């Protein structure tokens, strides 16, 4: 939405909207902007969530660093529960997922539990207050 459109929607001038957005960016409330991508159209129709757990918990907890070079991993969250991290991956086929799981296990020395997404009803919804 342009600053002009935001101004119309909020009853503020374009310059006032611009100033407020800049302040939100400076305060770290707005971290960036992005596009909504149709992953199927760019050849990545399969989404999966992979929960990982270190095989040897006494080793250093450096899984995110070890996995950063795998471009199929879109997101990595540290989580509470039986697993240590939850990965969101985007890939082409189940066969590619199988290969990725093997690389994840090897690179990070972890066990995995995988959930394949069948449908996405909504994602990246705006926060409402």
């Amino acid at each position: 939405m342009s600053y002009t459109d935001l101004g119309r929607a909020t009853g503020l001038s374009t310059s006032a909207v611009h100033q407020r957005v800049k302040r939100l960016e400076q305060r770290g409330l707005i971290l960036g902007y992005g596009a909504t991508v149709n992953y199927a159209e760019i050849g990545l129709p399969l989404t999966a969530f992979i929960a990982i757990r270190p095989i040897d918990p006494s080793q250093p907890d450096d899984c995110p660093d070890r996995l950063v070079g795998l471009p199929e991993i879109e997101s990595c969250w540290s989580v509470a529960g039986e697993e240590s991290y939850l990965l969101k991956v985007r890939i082409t086929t189940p066969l590619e997922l199988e290969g990725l799981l093997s690389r994840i296990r090897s690179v990070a020395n972890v066990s995995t539990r995988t959930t394949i997404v069948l449908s996405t009803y909504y994602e990246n919804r705006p926060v409402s207050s």
Side-chain angles (χ1 to χ4, degrees):
M1 187 179 272
S2 70
Y3 292 129
T4 303
D5 291 338
L6 278 172
R8 283 189 197 117
T10 59
L12 298 171
S13 70
T14 301
S15 63
V17 169
H18 187 263
Q19 288 175 345
R20 288 184 184 199
V21 169
K22 287 297 174 199
R23 279 197 305 259
L24 292 171
E25 291 170 344
Q26 289 168 350
R27 290 177 47 203
L29 293 169
I30 297 175
L31 298 177
Y33 302 90
T36 302
V37 176
N38 182 335
Y39 288 95
E41 289 296 318
I42 63 168
L44 299 170
L46 186 58
T47 302
F49 291 95
I50 304 169
I52 63 173
R53 178 181 1 179
I55 290 174
D56 183 356
S58 69
Q59 293 299 309
D61 184 4
D62 60 354
C63 287
D65 294 333
R66 289 175 177 231
L67 297 171
V68 74
L70 299 177
E72 300 91 342
I73 300 174
E74 179 181 300
S75 303
C76 174
W77 297 282
S78 176
V79 295
E82 289 186 33
E83 283 86 12
S84 299
Y85 296 94
L86 183 63
L87 311 174
K88 181 180 182 182
V89 302
R90 305 238 189 219
I91 46 186
T92 58
T93 65
L95 184 60
E96 185 183 344
L97 176 59
E98 185 175 20
L100 176 61
L101 288 169
S102 178
R103 288 190 324 227
I104 288 170
R105 290 181 193 123
S106 174
V107 167
N109 195 31
V110 294
S111 62
T112 61
R113 185 176 52 83
T114 303
T115 303
I116 294 175
V117 175
L118 300 176
S119 302
T120 301
Y121 295 100
Y122 45 84
E123 183 176 34
N124 299 323
R125 295 188 329 173
V127 177
S128 60
S129 45

